[in-house]
Structure formats: structure tokens, C-alpha cells
């Protein structure tokens, strides 16, 4: 072999070794970046993202996009450097996304459960906003709980301790402050007939000074309406607000978004409270790249959003479902809406 070539190969050998090592060794980081966005008013895989049956549905236009964060795992040194240089991604310790003491499949299951809860909360929040009647039935009764002999899964609760039951929260509120051993009357409907049973409250497992029934209430529409949210391979609770707005838009006359491209994020509870989420800087990038001009930001995320928002994206601050709907209607009318900052 030519001496010059041999010398060159010897000089480059450490580089080759480092390159091979860098491509084989993973780093303890994941890359977070803009993920897919989905128009909750549109279709996905041939069907509506938000499918509502049993009630009249109004025509909608424009976009109400939910946003996601993409997670890139299993990075080697070169992958991590490439994402860092890209600028659209951020590197965070892998343990923040996938705790080392929790199996990956358990993390995925938890994310899917959170997503399902966001769908359920969105349905209830929208129905409450629209003043659509709901009923509260028992989803389950703890086998070792204080109500196991008196109540059954499927019972419709009418009142507890003399307080009318219209929402799941009403059940919690009815026994709030009651001590273990307190006997409370429960008015219910079972097999079409009303009856009243007495339940002696037990001690809550997490606080022995407080009483509890040991039941899981399940609030559902009191009528033929049925909702299905058709998105797969999405996890976490942050789609709740946008799902809720899509339901309201479809069940109400007129365009909630004024026919424009609105995106956003935020958790929601059945009472319509909007909560903060993670990764908002990446969600805003994804929304702007998809064409959004307005982005609904949970109030608690406003400071972070102001530090990272893309040019040309209007940030609207929301803390409840009511403020979100009012803000969209104000923008459609050419009026100011609550803004971050």
C-alpha cells in the first residue's frame, strides 16, 4: 500500500472509530418537536374526527385544529446534534418523558387513558355549555365499599343526602364534609322504578376522617345523542378544549371560528375549566406551519407561549370554555379578544 495512503488511513482511523461509536451509542435524551395537527371539524381516514349521531348537525367551515408534540426517541449522538441544529426541536432528558422506573408500554397506556378521558370530558363540557340534559348513572360499585349492598352498577342517581344529582361532581359534593358512619338517603331509578335506599358512609381510604360512598358515577347524555372521537395513535389530555369546541360548533348554528383557521390546545374538565399543557412552543409551530392564524392558549401557558410564538400567529388567552367561545365570537365580529401579554 502506498505510504501516503497508509498515513492518511492511520490519521483518519480515530475519526472512523468515533463515527461508528457515535452511531451505535444512544444518548439519554429525546427530541421534542412539532407534531401532526388535526382539524376537529374535518375527516380522518374516511370519517369525521368528531362524529355526532342522534341530533341535528349544522354545517361547519374552516378549521379548529388540535395540535400535538412529536417525540423522537432512541437518539444517537448524531441524531441529537441534528435535532439541536434544526432549531424546531428541543432536547430534554429522556426520564422526563419516559420515567426509568415505568415500562414504556405503561407510559403509552397512561397517555391513551388520558386521551380517552379528554374525549369524555369534552363531551360533557360541550353538553353542559349547550344546556343539553344529562343523567348520572353508576358505572361501578366497589365490591368492598359501603354501598355494595344497596346500590348497583347502572342505577340512575336522582338525589344523594337530599341534594339533586345532575352531574358527577354533584355526587362528590353531596357527601363532602360528611363523616364516616353518617347514614345518607340515596334516591335512585332502577329498572324504571324510583326508590330510596340508605347508605352508611365508610371511611375514605386516603383520609379516614372523611366519608365516602364507594361508587363511580358516570354522567351521560339524557337522550339519543352519541359522540365518537375518531383519532388513533394520539395520547395525552391536551385535545380536550378543541374537541369541545368542535362539538359545540357542530351542534350550534353558525361558524364558531368565523370560517377561519383556528388552532389551539388545552385540557378541559366537565365543568369547562381549561388547563395547561406541555410543549406549547412546538404546538404553535405546528399550527402556524399548517396555516393557523389564531391559537388558543391556556392562560397558565401564556408566559411560555409569548417567549416562543411564531410570527403571524395571534395568541388568545383562555381559562374556561366560556371565555374560549366568547373570544372566537369576538374575533369573528371584528372585536378584540383576551390576549397573552
Amino acid at each position: 500500500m502506498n505510504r501516503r495512503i497508509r498515513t492518511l488511513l492511520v490519521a483518519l482511523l480515530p475519526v472512523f472509530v468515533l463515527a461508528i461509536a457515535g452511531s451505535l451509542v444512544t444518548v439519554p435524551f429525546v427530541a421534542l418537536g412539532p407534531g401532526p395537527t388535526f382539524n376537529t371539524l374535518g375527516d380522518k381516514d374516511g370519517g369525521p374526527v368528531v362524529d355526532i349521531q342522534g341530533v341535528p348537525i349544522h354545517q361547519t367551515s374552516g378549521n379548529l385544529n388540535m395540535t400535538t408534540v412529536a417525540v423522537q426517541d432512541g437518539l444517537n449522538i448524531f441524531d441529537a446534534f441534528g435535532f439541536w441544529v434544526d432549531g424546531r426541536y428541543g432536547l430534554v432528558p429522556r426520564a422526563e418523558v419516559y420515567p426509568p422506573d415505568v415500562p414504556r408500554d405503561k407510559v403509552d397506556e397512561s397517555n391513551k387513558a388520558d386521551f380517552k378521558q379528554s374525549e369524555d370530558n369534552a363531551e360533557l363540557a360541550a353538553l353542559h355549555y349547550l344546556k343539553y340534559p344529562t343523567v348520572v348513572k353508576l358505572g361501578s360499585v366497589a365490591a368492598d365499599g359501603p354501598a355494595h349492598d344497596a346500590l348497583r352498577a347502572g342505577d340512575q342517581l336522582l338525589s344523594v343526602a337530599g341534594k339533586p344529582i345532575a352531574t358527577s361532581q354533584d355526587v362528590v359534593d353531596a357527601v363532602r364534609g360528611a363523616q364516616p358512619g353518617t347514614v345518607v338517603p340515596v334516591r335512585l331509578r332502577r329498572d324504571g322504578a324510583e326508590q330510596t335506599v340508605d347508605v352508611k358512609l365508610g371511611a375514605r381510604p386516603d383520609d379516614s376522617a372523611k366519608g365516602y360512598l364507594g361508587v363511580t358515577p358516570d354522567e351521560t347524555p339524557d337522550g339519543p345523542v352519541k359522540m365518537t372521537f375518531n383519532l388513533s395513535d394520539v395520547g395525552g389530555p391536551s385535545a380536550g378544549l378543541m374537541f369541545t369546541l368542535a362539538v359545540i360548533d357542530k351542534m350550534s348554528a353558525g361558524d364558531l371560528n368565523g370560517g377561519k383557521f383556528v388552532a389551539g390546545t388545552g385540557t378541559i374538565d366537565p365543568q369547562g375549566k381549561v388547563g395547561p399543557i406541555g410543549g406549547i412552543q412546538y404546538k404553535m409551530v405546528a399550527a402556524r406551519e399548517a396555516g393557523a392564524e389564531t391559537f388558543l392558549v391556556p392562560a397558565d401557558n401564556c408566559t411560555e407561549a409569548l417567549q416562543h410564538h411564531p410570527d403571524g400567529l395571534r395568541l388568545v388567552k383562555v381559562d374556561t370554555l366560556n371565555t374560549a367561545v366568547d373570544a372566537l365570537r369576538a374575533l369573528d365580529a371584528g372585536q378584540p379578544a383576551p390576549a397573552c401579554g
Side-chain angles (χ1 to χ4, degrees), residues 19-41:
I20 293 173
S23 64
L24 295 177
V25 178
T26 58
V27 296
F29 294 90
V30 296
L32 305 181
T37 75
F38 303 95
N39 183 11
T40 57
L41 299 177

Side-chain angles (χ1 to χ4, degrees), residues 138-270:
L138 294 182
S140 63
V141 179
D144 57 352
H148 74 280
D149 287 331
L151 301 178
R152 303 176 188 171
D155 286 347
Q156 179 185 341
L157 298 184
L158 304 177
S159 69
V160 174
K163 299 177 181 178
I165 301 300
T167 69
S168 295
Q169 185 61 38
D170 290 339
V171 182
V172 177
D173 294 341
V175 297
R176 188 189 304 276
Q179 296 181 343
T182 303
V183 177
V184 298
V186 178
R187 187 71 178 167
L188 59 91
R189 180 177 289 113
R190 179 185 297 165
D191 299 328
E194 292 187 14
Q195 59 180 288
T196 300
V197 298
D198 290 331
V199 178
K200 184 178 181 180
L201 299 182
R204 279 178 51 171
D206 60 342
D207 189 341
S208 60
K210 296 181 179 179
Y212 88 120
L213 282 170
V215 299
T216 302
D218 184 14
E219 187 178 352
T220 59
D222 184 18
V225 63
K226 181 180 180 181
M227 300 184 197
T228 306
F229 300 87
N230 299 308
L231 281 182
S232 58
D233 300 324
V234 179
S238 62
L241 172 62
M242 303 312 292
F243 278 149
T244 307
L245 293 174
V247 173
I248 292 172
D249 204 1
K250 289 191 169 194
M251 293 179 65
S252 307
D255 286 327
L256 192 59
N257 56 4
K260 298 180 176 62
F261 197 134
V262 175
T265 187
T267 66
I268 201 160
D269 69 14

Side-chain angles (χ1 to χ4, degrees), residues 9-320:
L9 290 176
V10 171
L12 291 177
L13 182 59
V15 177
F16 294 148
V17 172
L18 287 174
I20 293 173
S23 64
L24 295 177
V25 178
T26 58
V27 296
F29 294 90
V30 296
L32 305 181
T37 75
F38 303 95
N39 183 11
T40 57
L41 299 177
D43 292 345
K44 178 73 164 57
D45 297 331
V49 171
V50 177
D51 189 18
I52 305 173
Q53 302 290 333
V55 293
I57 299 302
H58 298 271
Q59 185 68 35
T60 61
S61 63
N63 290 60
L64 285 173
N65 277 41
M66 59 157 287
T67 50
T68 66
V69 175
V71 180
Q72 306 293 337
D73 193 14
L75 307 180
N76 60 39
I77 293 174
F78 301 114
D79 294 331
F81 182 75
F83 282 121
W84 179 75
V85 171
D86 181 273
R88 296 169 69 252
Y89 287 80
L91 297 177
V92 301
R94 188 179 188 277
E96 291 186 9
V97 179
Y98 301 111
D101 56 341
V102 180
R104 173 66 181 269
D105 61 338
K106 295 298 182 182
V107 175
D108 293 338
E109 287 177 11
S110 177
N111 286 334
K112 290 179 180 179
D114 286 343
F115 191 73
K116 178 60 170 63
Q117 187 64 59
S118 76
E119 296 174 337
D120 295 341
N121 287 354
E123 178 177 2
L124 291 176
L127 293 176
H128 292 165
Y129 179 86
L130 295 169
K131 303 295 190 278
Y132 196 96
T134 61
V135 295
V136 178
K137 297 183 178 181
L138 294 182
S140 63
V141 179
D144 57 352
H148 74 280
D149 287 331
L151 301 178
R152 303 176 188 171
D155 286 347
Q156 179 185 341
L157 298 184
L158 304 177
S159 69
V160 174
K163 299 177 181 178
I165 301 300
T167 69
S168 295
Q169 185 61 38
D170 290 339
V171 182
V172 177
D173 294 341
V175 297
R176 188 189 304 276
Q179 296 181 343
T182 303
V183 177
V184 298
V186 178
R187 187 71 178 167
L188 59 91
R189 180 177 289 113
R190 179 185 297 165
D191 299 328
E194 292 187 14
Q195 59 180 288
T196 300
V197 298
D198 290 331
V199 178
K200 184 178 181 180
L201 299 182
R204 279 178 51 171
D206 60 342
D207 189 341
S208 60
K210 296 181 179 179
Y212 88 120
L213 282 170
V215 299
T216 302
D218 184 14
E219 187 178 352
T220 59
D222 184 18
V225 63
K226 181 180 180 181
M227 300 184 197
T228 306
F229 300 87
N230 299 308
L231 281 182
S232 58
D233 300 324
V234 179
S238 62
L241 172 62
M242 303 312 292
F243 278 149
T244 307
L245 293 174
V247 173
I248 292 172
D249 204 1
K250 289 191 169 194
M251 293 179 65
S252 307
D255 286 327
L256 192 59
N257 56 4
K260 298 180 176 62
F261 197 134
V262 175
T265 187
T267 66
I268 201 160
D269 69 14
Q271 287 70 48
K273 181 180 179 181
V274 176
I277 50 79
I280 194 163
Q281 64 266 44
Y282 311 116
K283 294 180 178 181
M284 291 187 298
V285 170
R288 188 69 183 118
E289 291 179 348
E293 299 175 348
T294 298
F295 194 91
L296 303 182
V297 181
D300 289 341
N301 287 120
C302 268
T303 299
E304 182 183 6
L306 284 170
Q307 296 172 352
H308 301 284
H309 79 282
D311 291 338
L313 190 65
R314 178 195 292 114
L315 304 185
V316 175
K317 179 175 69 173
V318 298
D319 56 2
T320 67

